[in-house]
Amino acid sequence: MTTRAEENLLDWLRDAHAMEEQAEKMLTKTAERLENYPELKARIQQHIEETRRQAQMVRGCIERLGGDTSAVKDATAKMMAMAQGMSGMFVSDEVVKASLASYAFEHMEIASYRALIAAAELCGDVETQRVCEQILPEEEAMANWLAERLPGTVQKFLARDETPDTTAKH
Ligand SMILES: [Fe+2]
């Protein structure tokens, strides 16, 4: 018999799966467009690989609990609306907006995995707890990297923006 707590855990895992799929889309779009910020591009590409693996691991937890990932449409739509609002694509300061959006998104992921760890612990779902504890440091590392690099990215953007015939935005 499934408890209410287990139902909530499964819902939140579905949300996390949708979140990772959205992250992959956002990061892929950003990386494709970046030309003049090679370090940022490389770090994002690394995190795209991590994100794909995370989505698979979360899907594994969902399936082990007897759920499927087809009920994610609502959550995905909500996340997409939020992500698109934040991503700032096609604006003149695109690389800065993308840095802010990615930083915010990573923190939402961090909060989600912390919530999942607590829920899995309460449910006695050792495997889900272990998976989420494995994913969490990857999100924290990405968030920390973005925070450390933000001043450099902003200053590089501003310098390029001052220079005639130079693309600053991506
Ligand atoms: Fe992630």
Side-chain angles (χ1 to χ4, degrees):
M1 208 184 93
T2 311
T3 65
R4 293 275 299 152
E6 285 165 346
E7 283 171 19
N8 279 295
L9 176 62
L10 188 54
D11 278 348
W12 296 341
L13 283 167
R14 287 195 180 107
D15 290 343
H17 184 262
M19 178 177 73
E20 295 300 353
E21 290 200 320
Q22 186 55 35
E24 187 190 339
K25 282 191 201 116
M26 269 179 67
L27 292 170
T28 301
K29 272 212 178 84
T30 301
E32 273 171 7
R33 293 177 57 81
L34 286 177
E35 287 165 15
N36 298 299
Y37 302 84
E39 288 182 4
L40 180 58
K41 185 181 178 115
R43 184 65 181 88
I44 289 174
Q45 282 168 334
Q46 181 196 328
H47 197 57
I48 290 169
E49 294 306 312
E50 290 169 345
T51 298
R52 287 198 186 111
R53 212 174 45 244
Q54 292 167 353
Q56 277 173 8
M57 288 163 74
V58 171
R59 193 181 310 130
C61 291
I62 292 168
E63 286 167 358
R64 198 166 28 75
L65 294 173
D68 60 58
T69 49
S70 65
V72 300
K73 278 180 196 156
D74 269 8
T76 306
K78 275 184 220 151
M79 298 289 296
M80 269 173 73
M82 189 195 71
Q84 280 167 356
M86 292 196 317
S87 66
M89 210 95 61
F90 312 120
V91 292
S92 61
D93 56 350
E94 179 182 333
V95 66
V96 175
K97 290 291 193 291
S99 294
L100 301 185
S102 303
Y103 180 79
F105 203 94
E106 289 307 320
H107 278 273
M108 172 123 133
E109 291 186 302
I110 288 167
S112 298
Y113 287 110
R114 291 214 172 118
L116 279 168
I117 289 165
E121 186 183 17
L122 186 128
C123 291
D125 185 345
V126 177
E127 178 61 11
T128 296
Q129 186 181 345
R130 188 196 64 76
V131 164
C132 294
E133 283 171 348
Q134 192 181 331
I135 294 173
L136 179 61
E138 293 181 345
E139 313 294 29
E140 289 172 333
M142 184 62 181
N144 291 340
W145 192 95
L146 289 166
E148 277 165 23
R149 298 305 175 104
L150 184 64
T153 301
V154 168
Q155 288 177 359
K156 183 175 178 180
F157 166 79
L158 290 172
R160 293 183 69 91
D161 200 39
E162 292 282 343
T163 313
D165 304 319
T166 303
T167 302
K169 68 175 187 171
H170 57 227

